[in-house]
Amino acid sequence: MINFKRTDHIHICVPPDRLEEARLFYTNIIGLELTERPGVFSSAGYWFRIADIELHIGVEESHPRSIRHTAFEVGDVQAARIYLEKQGLEIMEEPLITGRERFAFIDPFGNRMELLQLL
């Protein structure tokens, strides 16, 4: 059996020609802190601090949209939704789950992200 301690990082991809746009989006719009990415990787990418984990962005050609996603708990899901709507992001409704208020958004690169608040 595996004794899990916590999530360390999440990795998403963006098209190679949009990597700098992704860096700007995740720092300027989403508000994440850019952290040092070790120089041992042969492909391009960025690492960001997000709460007590990291978000890693790498590059690959675009794929069709899917239900794959990452979910993040936030302190005020309604405020987050209003902010992202003002930024022009596509918002997706999620099915109701007792004890959770939630929605998803699609980043400019096709990645689906869910934000939720536990009630």
Side-chain angles (χ1 to χ4, degrees), residues 39-72:
V40 299
F41 300 104
S42 60
S43 63
Y46 289 108
W47 288 10
F48 300 89
R49 171 79 32 214
I50 182 167
D52 67 343
I53 64 171
E54 292 177 342
L55 175 65
H56 296 179
I57 296 182
V59 294
E60 71 178 13
E61 294 304 322
S62 295
H63 294 281
R65 189 179 289 183
S66 78
I67 64 170
R68 288 185 302 259
H69 69 280
T70 300
F72 297 101

Side-chain angles (χ1 to χ4, degrees), residues 21-108:
E21 182 184 349
R23 180 185 63 78
L24 293 172
F25 174 79
Y26 277 95
T27 54
N28 297 343
I29 302 298
I30 301 299
L32 301 184
E33 173 191 353
L34 188 64
T35 62
E36 185 174 342
R37 181 177 185 254
V40 299
F41 300 104
S42 60
S43 63
Y46 289 108
W47 288 10
F48 300 89
R49 171 79 32 214
I50 182 167
D52 67 343
I53 64 171
E54 292 177 342
L55 175 65
H56 296 179
I57 296 182
V59 294
E60 71 178 13
E61 294 304 322
S62 295
H63 294 281
R65 189 179 289 183
S66 78
I67 64 170
R68 288 185 302 259
H69 69 280
T70 300
F72 297 101
E73 183 180 354
V74 297
D76 186 339
V77 74
Q78 282 303 317
R81 181 182 183 127
I82 291 167
Y83 172 74
L84 294 173
E85 287 174 336
K86 287 181 180 177
Q87 300 302 316
L89 295 175
E90 179 183 350
I91 303 296
M92 300 178 66
E93 299 301 332
E94 294 289 340
L96 296 175
I97 298 176
T98 302
R100 296 173 186 223
E101 186 174 351
R102 64 197 192 114
F103 71 94
F105 70 92
I106 305 299
D107 78 3

